[in-house]
Amino acid sequence: VLRIRNQSGSNFVDWLGGTNGPTSPYDILYSTNMTFGGWAVIGAHGREQGTNTWFQAVPSDRSQFYKVRATN
């Protein structure tokens, strides 16, 4: 993950990705607690070469942590 930012009330997650290998999408996961986990899939994004960006229009919780998972 390169950065997570908030712009006009929406959260954006940017990461570097590639198109070599699997063509399945990336899963975007979130949790409200970094210590105890409970990660849930909140979205998916097709693979793109270079910088990939996913956004959440209106976050459901005030504090969220994100991670990106490559799927096979």
Side-chain angles (χ1 to χ4, degrees):
V1 173
L2 296 172
R3 72 181 164 185
I4 299 172
R5 58 193 160 88
N6 184 283
Q7 185 176 337
S8 302
S10 297
N11 288 338
F12 290 79
V13 180
D14 301 326
W15 70 95
L16 286 179
T19 56
N20 293 338
T23 58
S24 54
Y26 293 102
D27 283 340
I28 315 303
L29 298 95
Y30 87 103
S31 178
T32 57
N33 188 316
M34 286 276 296
T35 305
F36 299 108
W39 293 94
V41 175
I42 194 170
H45 189 279
R47 291 181 185 238
E48 296 176 15
Q49 188 66 35
T51 303
N52 290 253
T53 300
W54 173 87
F55 78 97
Q56 182 181 17
V58 180
S60 56
D61 293 299
R62 184 164 170 78
S63 178
Q64 291 185 342
F65 302 94
Y66 297 95
K67 65 180 178 178
V68 177
R69 176 176 65 192
T71 60
N72 290 331

